[in-house]
Amino acid sequence: MKMWLLVSHLVIISFTTCLSEFTWYRRYGHGVSEEDKGFGPIFEEQPINTIYPEESPEGKVSLNCRARASPFPVYKWRMNNGDIDLTSDRYSMVGGNLVINNPDKQKDAGIYYCLASNNYGMVRSTEATLSFGYDLSYRWLLNEFPVFITMDKRRFVSQTNGNLYIANVEASDKGNYSCFVSSPSITKSVFSKFIPLIPLPERTTKPYPADIVVQFKDIYALMGQNVTLECFALGNPVPDIRWRKVLEPMPSTAEISTSGAVLKIFNIQLEDEGTYECEAENNRGKDKHQARIYVQAFPEWVEHINDTEVDIGSDLYWPCVATGKPIPTIRWLKNGYAYHKGELRLYDVTFENAGMYQCIAENTHGAIYANAELKILALAPTFEMNPMKKKILAAKGGRVIIECKPKAAPKPKFSWSKGTEWLVNSSRILIWEDGSLEINNITRNDGGIYTCFAENNRGRANNTGTLVITDPTRIILAPINADITVGENATMQCAASFDPALDLTFIWSFNGYVIDFNKENIHYQRNFMLDSNGELLIRNAQLKHAGRYTCTAQTIVDNSSASADLVVRGPPGPPGGLRIEDIRATSVALTWSRGSDNHSPISKYTIQTKTILSDDWKDAKTDPPIIEGNMEAARAVDLIPWMEYEFRVVATNTLGIGEPSIPSNRIKTDGAAPNVAPSDVGGGGGSNRELTITWVPLSREYHYGNNFGYIVAFKPFDGEEWKKVTVTNPDTGRYVHKDETMRPSTAFQVKVKAFNNKGDGPYSLTAVINSAQDAPSEAPTEVGVKVLSSSEISVHWDHVVEKIVESYQIRYGLPMTKKQLHTEFKSPAKSTRPGWRTFCPDTQYFVEVRACNSAGCGPPSDMIETFTKKARESHLHLDSSKLPIHSVMMQVTFERNLLPSSLSTFHFRFYLLQPSKV
């Protein structure tokens, strides 16, 4: 999008004025005096466009106008270019503000502006339009107030015309509807009559394609405004609405409503101009609508006028430049009246040219005003405000400029003398146009008293100063070039001769920038021990300290400089321009550009990699294995297939390993079939008629591709045919095969391999496991209980002879749980005290025993009744009926080769614990 700039000025050759030259002369004497502190009006507040609600209860409207001026300004108002009669009761003034009482649309609608004036001139405010109307907002009621319709994908209320649209009417839409209109500018709202809506029976509703019924039109918007586009479609099913900017991305400030029917672009810019499309679609068809947004711009200043003082008789060029769309035009006002159009150039100005000027840039969207006062200066030369220096110092052999800048209008003519000798331009002496005197190749004889004479048609003045010649400043010991390695120290010498009447200062700069010793004292130090010596010490030099160092010996009169270069050798800088190409499953090609060798040749490069599985950088295997320092390409090999990688390159020289390059963009290697088999294949156990197979899942780095999973193969030990199943969960390490015909404890051969979308990997080693065994079918017999104390019992039984018994389960409970014991003990068989829990003295318990293995527990033994002994008197007596019943289980486990032959006896000691609450 192009921006148009308009440079408009006004050419003035002759004009008239209501003030005579005599009047101006009387005001200013010989021009504007230094005591003249007055100034013309400067607007601080101007009227703005205003919409007055026709039924507003306030009954008045105010248009603001306020200006700063000395003396205070006088205000006038105009409407439609006619003066407003401020004596009328309908109008009043508050300061510069215009108040209109009981505004009337027929009488008061129009364009207003304010005039502010004093004896320096008059300025005109921006124009403001007063109009009458409302800002309206539309909503719809359903059946009663305040039940408002909620907009969604089916229902939409247009803020353009107020209509309610319902796509695919449903039975729930039945009711009476009323349009509710409100205005945010006044506390008033109105209702329409209720309109009944009766949906047709569902059997008559047929699907039909999307049909856009709310369409946005071409729109012209001002840059910075918010733009709203509406688009809504009927259809069955309810259509989905999508927005796009044709052939361009959507603006970053664009927002689409939840229903999709409204597109809002906030703070629209010129680049947002273009064609926008709304598309509505359901499964019966689609509909599209396009319209264009034209973005234009209010005028904006590129360069505007400011208060200016010019000498009488001189020329003035006053630029006034604005941008906008459409291109603004420029016009000028002087003292509030139309002056001219175009470029403003004033030649040989007189007092008649003084006044208040306004540059106005305007297009179809509005106007902007730049106000400035032009003052004409006329006075004889005077040095009162800017006298010459009384003493000027200059070094022998150097150059000096003696300034002469009196205040004068018109510009004076200048002449100079040294003592009684008049000076003229020569090879060494030059009188500048602004009055300054330049002397080159100064000698001792140039010292003395100098006088500047200034003269114009208003008068004459002169001023004097003394030139004193000093010894020149010279570097007598200059810094010399140095060559060091990173971490070493370097010294830059510097000494100078100078005039003893002056103070000498040494200034060091590095690559043109002055060194701040306070901020950089870690590496830079000065030697203050030697007079007239500015030696610089560079400590622990780093690569960044290499460059040109300049020593400047300076007095208030002159200076002298000398420079030297410091070379700092160190590890290489980072390579640049890293690119990744030719991506394969296990290798990629890398190219890079050579970085700085930091004055020591690069001997080799190292390629480093980082995967998404780790934050650590690791050296990669490469082809060739050693990457010579003159190479800028190599291949990283032995990479993991289907893995996301970042790469970087590091250079090395004899001084060390350099900084790495900027990491590459993350890439993913191509996929490949797995080449690693799962480990630790085994299993066994489980429930009846189950074969449980387990393995250690492969980590992510060995997946090598999408759709990763496992193939589990198994067969009876003496079988011929392998049965294979697919496990698609890549993180699982277990598969359970169920078969009601499977015999317990049957030996199986099992093996597992991985697969992905590229193929299958190798099988693991074959393992032999057994299917699950049956739970014991016999109950223990000859169960007995011996009470040992108030907290200890002994349980014994005859061992079940089945070989599949691995443990015993002892269950106990209080009388109320006799029918369903839920308190259990499980404990290793070798323990004589397998556990302790809260038991009650002098309490009745029931006990039973079951034989168990990995498939479960068998039938229970006969239930045995027992009583714990009474507690000793010193023990706390507890009411067993108030104690909680804990779910406890003790499992007695045997090794198969250590199973008891017949009778098993166990002792259980239960310690009575005092509960916190009983």
Side-chain angles (χ1 to χ4, degrees):
M1 179 60 62
K2 294 182 178 179
M3 292 289 290
W4 291 269
L5 299 180
L6 177 65
V7 183
S8 295
H9 309 280
L10 179 60
V11 179
I12 305 298
I13 299 177
S14 63
F15 39 68
T16 60
T17 180
C18 62
L19 294 175
S20 67
E21 184 165 342
F22 172 77
T23 305
W24 285 102
Y25 184 83
R26 183 179 61 187
R27 178 183 299 165
Y28 297 110
H30 293 288
V32 176
S33 68
E34 294 301 328
E35 292 75 19
D36 184 7
K37 303 298 183 181
F39 57 91
I42 301 171
F43 280 118
E44 294 184 330
E45 188 174 13
Q46 301 185 63
I48 59 174
N49 293 336
T50 302
I51 299 176
Y52 178 78
E54 295 185 46
E55 299 180 17
S56 173
E58 292 186 13
K60 62 181 179 180
V61 63
S62 179
L63 300 175
N64 296 340
C65 180
R66 179 164 52 90
R68 174 168 49 90
S70 179
F72 290 113
V74 176
Y75 297 97
K76 292 175 58 178
W77 280 88
R78 307 195 79 194
M79 170 192 171
N80 297 334
N81 291 322
D83 290 336
I84 293 178
D85 182 6
L86 296 176
T87 62
S88 169
D89 293 338
R90 298 192 62 253
Y91 303 103
S92 59
M93 288 272 287
V94 179
N97 298 343
L98 174 66
V99 179
I100 304 174
N101 300 307
N102 300 316
D104 182 272
K105 181 177 182 180
Q106 301 299 324
K107 298 179 180 179
D108 299 317
I111 299 174
Y112 291 75
Y113 60 85
C114 162
L115 296 168
S117 63
N118 66 6
N119 55 0
Y120 286 89
M122 181 167 61
V123 289
R124 187 168 121 175
S125 72
T126 57
E127 295 180 345
T129 300
L130 174 62
S131 55
F132 292 73
Y134 303 99
D135 296 323
L136 300 181
S137 174
Y138 299 96
R139 289 188 289 175
W140 281 78
L141 294 168
L142 176 59
N143 293 327
E144 61 182 357
F145 182 86
V147 181
F148 291 101
I149 295 295
T150 301
M151 288 191 289
D152 51 28
K153 293 181 66 175
R154 279 198 320 113
R155 296 175 293 190
F156 177 68
V157 177
S158 172
Q159 296 302 312
T160 301
N161 56 29
N163 291 346
L164 167 64
Y165 299 87
I166 303 177
N168 188 19
V169 175
E170 298 176 353
S172 60
D173 295 321
K174 182 178 179 180
N176 296 310
Y177 291 77
S178 173
C179 178
F180 179 85
V181 185
S182 60
S183 174
S185 57
I186 59 172
T187 56
K188 183 176 182 179
S189 57
V190 293
F191 301 81
S192 71
K193 293 182 179 180
F194 279 92
I195 305 170
L197 172 62
I198 303 175
L200 297 174
E202 291 186 6
R203 56 185 175 81
T204 63
T205 304
K206 296 181 180 180
Y208 62 96
D211 179 21
I212 295 177
V213 294
V214 178
Q215 300 180 346
F216 55 97
K217 300 178 180 179
D218 288 351
I219 184 174
Y220 286 83
L222 275 177
M223 187 173 69
Q225 287 184 336
N226 300 332
V227 175
T228 300
L229 305 181
E230 296 181 342
C231 179
F232 188 74
L234 305 180
N236 186 18
V238 176
D240 290 321
I241 297 176
R242 293 182 293 273
W243 292 87
R244 73 183 184 99
K245 186 180 181 186
V246 179
L247 301 178
E248 294 181 76
M250 287 283 277
S252 59
T253 59
E255 290 185 6
I256 300 174
S257 65
T258 304
S259 66
V262 179
L263 169 66
K264 287 188 176 181
I265 305 174
F266 296 91
N267 189 25
I268 197 165
Q269 299 298 305
L270 294 174
E271 59 267 23
D272 299 331
E273 180 174 291
T275 300
Y276 289 78
E277 179 182 274
C278 161
E279 180 183 79
E281 182 178 16
N282 60 13
N283 59 15
R284 306 295 293 182
K286 66 173 63 176
D287 192 11
K288 294 182 180 180
H289 172 70
Q290 292 183 352
R292 188 169 182 83
I293 296 179
Y294 297 91
V295 182
Q296 301 198 332
F298 197 82
E300 183 177 354
W301 289 121
V302 175
E303 184 178 7
H304 61 78
I305 58 176
N306 294 292
D307 290 345
T308 302
E309 294 181 350
V310 296
D311 295 346
I312 190 168
S314 62
D315 299 336
L316 172 65
Y317 166 64
W318 234 354
C320 190
V321 184
T323 181
K325 185 180 177 185
I327 302 172
T329 59
I330 300 293
R331 61 188 176 93
W332 295 80
L333 304 179
K334 181 185 177 186
N335 293 325
Y337 294 95
Y339 199 49
H340 204 69
K341 296 180 179 179
E343 189 176 72
L344 178 57
R345 289 185 183 271
L346 303 177
Y347 300 100
D348 191 20
V349 298
T350 66
F351 292 126
E352 293 180 350
N353 295 115
M356 300 302 300
Y357 287 80
Q358 292 178 279
C359 173
I360 304 172
E362 56 190 345
N363 63 13
T364 55
H365 301 295
I368 52 177
Y369 288 62
N371 306 333
E373 181 178 1
L374 177 61
K375 289 186 177 181
I376 308 302
L377 301 179
L379 67 158
T382 175
F383 285 92
E384 291 181 6
M385 301 300 297
N386 195 19
M388 287 176 56
K389 290 182 179 179
K390 295 303 179 184
K391 184 178 181 181
I392 304 103
L393 300 177
K396 179 183 176 182
R399 168 178 174 266
V400 68
I401 297 175
I402 306 175
E403 292 186 342
C404 179
K405 295 184 177 180
K407 193 169 184 64
K411 181 180 178 181
K413 294 181 179 180
F414 296 94
S415 58
W416 282 84
S417 70
K418 179 191 175 189
T420 60
E421 176 187 0
W422 287 101
L423 301 179
V424 295
N425 290 339
S426 66
S427 59
R428 287 197 321 116
I429 298 176
L430 177 64
I431 300 176
W432 289 9
E433 186 177 349
D434 68 355
S436 298
L437 175 66
E438 178 181 352
I439 305 174
N440 294 289
N441 300 320
I442 294 173
T443 68
R444 291 287 182 184
N445 294 330
D446 290 323
I449 298 175
Y450 288 78
T451 303
C452 173
F453 298 89
E455 182 179 6
N456 66 10
N457 59 8
R458 301 274 173 175
R460 174 178 181 155
N462 62 77
N463 207 220
T464 61
T466 300
L467 177 63
V468 178
I469 309 303
T470 64
D471 291 334
T473 303
R474 295 285 185 265
I475 297 290
I476 58 175
L477 185 61
I480 58 176
N481 296 339
D483 191 326
I484 61 174
T485 301
V486 167
E488 295 181 346
N489 298 336
T491 300
M492 291 284 182
Q493 61 187 10
C494 186
S497 64
F498 62 102
D499 192 304
L502 303 176
D503 292 328
L504 179 68
T505 302
F506 287 95
I507 299 173
W508 280 94
S509 61
F510 171 57
N511 290 337
Y513 294 93
V514 174
I515 297 174
D516 187 334
F517 288 91
N518 292 325
K519 293 183 179 179
E520 303 182 61
N521 56 11
I522 295 177
H523 294 286
Y524 294 118
Q525 293 183 9
R526 294 276 299 276
N527 188 347
F528 294 103
M529 302 300 294
L530 301 175
D531 293 336
S532 305
N533 193 305
E535 184 177 84
L536 171 68
L537 177 61
I538 306 170
R539 293 185 176 275
N540 187 23
Q542 303 299 308
L543 293 173
K544 64 181 180 180
H545 297 129
R548 168 151 291 201
Y549 287 82
T550 300
C551 172
T552 301
Q554 181 171 301
T555 67
I556 61 172
V557 178
D558 66 341
N559 63 73
S560 180
S561 298
S563 300
D565 293 323
L566 175 65
V567 174
V568 181
R569 301 180 186 273
L578 179 60
R579 296 178 59 188
I580 311 299
E581 301 170 330
D582 191 19
I583 300 172
R584 302 181 185 178
T586 59
S587 68
V588 299
L590 294 89
T591 60
W592 61 89
S593 59
R594 177 186 180 90
S596 171
D597 63 7
N598 290 324
H599 310 289
S600 180
I602 296 173
S603 57
K604 70 172 185 176
Y605 288 98
T606 303
I607 296 176
Q608 296 181 331
T609 65
K610 184 173 71 172
T611 70
I612 60 171
L613 303 180
S614 172
D615 291 330
D616 298 328
W617 288 94
K618 299 179 180 179
D619 292 349
K621 292 184 179 180
T622 59
D623 181 17
I626 298 178
I627 307 172
E628 300 291 341
N630 59 353
M631 299 178 63
E632 294 184 358
R635 194 167 193 89
V637 299
D638 289 353
L639 302 178
I640 300 172
W642 199 64
M643 178 61 67
E644 292 186 31
Y645 278 97
E646 291 178 76
F647 297 86
R648 69 184 188 185
V649 180
V650 181
T652 302
N653 62 17
T654 57
L655 297 177
I657 299 173
E659 297 180 14
S661 68
I662 296 175
S664 69
N665 293 329
R666 185 174 291 176
I667 61 100
K668 180 180 280 189
T669 52
D670 290 345
N675 61 9
V676 177
S679 61
D680 294 339
V681 176
S687 302
N688 292 339
R689 307 297 187 263
E690 288 183 353
L691 176 65
T692 301
I693 303 169
T694 60
W695 63 92
V696 176
L698 294 179
S699 60
R700 161 67 182 81
E701 60 186 300
Y702 296 112
H703 287 189
Y704 290 5
N706 276 318
N707 303 324
F708 181 84
Y710 300 97
I711 296 176
V712 181
F714 56 93
K715 67 173 183 176
F717 187 83
D718 297 326
E720 297 294 333
E721 184 177 353
W722 291 89
K723 183 177 180 62
K724 298 177 182 178
V725 294
T726 300
V727 178
T728 58
N729 184 352
D731 300 320
T732 191
R734 186 171 185 268
Y735 171 72
V736 178
H737 177 68
K738 295 185 178 181
D739 186 350
E740 293 299 326
T741 64
M742 186 185 305
R743 295 175 60 83
S745 301
T746 300
F748 279 83
Q749 297 185 61
V750 297
K751 57 185 178 180
V752 183
K753 68 178 178 180
F755 73 91
N756 62 21
N757 61 331
K758 296 292 184 178
D760 297 349
Y763 271 114
S764 66
L765 296 175
T766 301
V768 178
I769 63 174
N770 292 321
S771 62
Q773 54 193 357
D774 280 342
S777 59
E778 297 180 31
T781 58
E782 300 300 327
V783 177
V785 176
K786 183 179 180 181
V787 178
L788 303 179
S789 69
S790 63
S791 61
E792 185 179 13
I793 64 174
S794 172
V795 182
H796 58 85
W797 62 89
D798 284 349
H799 179 59
V800 174
V801 298
E802 293 179 272
K803 294 183 179 180
I804 58 175
V805 176
E806 297 176 350
S807 63
Y808 286 90
Q809 182 186 80
I810 303 170
R811 296 163 56 89
Y812 74 94
L814 296 173
M816 67 281 293
T817 61
K818 178 179 178 182
K819 293 184 179 180
Q820 185 175 359
L821 299 182
H822 59 80
T823 306
E824 306 174 353
F825 278 101
K826 289 185 179 180
S827 179
K830 297 179 181 179
S831 174
T832 58
R833 293 185 178 181
W836 49 268
R837 296 292 185 269
T838 301
F839 260 64
C840 301
D842 193 22
T843 302
Q844 181 184 19
Y845 288 96
F846 291 90
V847 179
E848 67 179 21
V849 182
R850 297 171 183 253
C852 304
N853 60 22
S854 61
C857 294
S861 66
D862 293 337
M863 192 174 298
I864 304 299
E865 179 185 15
T866 187
F867 286 85
T868 54
K869 292 183 178 181
K870 292 184 179 180
R872 295 179 183 179
E873 292 183 0
S874 59
H875 289 180
L876 175 67
H877 176 71
L878 299 176
D879 186 350
S880 62
S881 65
K882 295 182 181 180
L883 288 176
I885 300 175
H886 300 282
S887 177
V888 183
M889 178 176 69
M890 182 177 71
Q891 188 76 30
V892 185
T893 305
F894 304 92
E895 300 291 340
R896 286 186 176 275
N897 59 349
L898 296 178
L899 287 175
S901 59
S902 57
L903 182 65
S904 297
T905 302
F906 295 89
H907 295 276
F908 306 98
R909 183 180 298 276
F910 302 104
Y911 296 94
L912 181 60
L913 302 180
Q914 181 178 351
S916 59
K917 292 183 179 180
V918 179

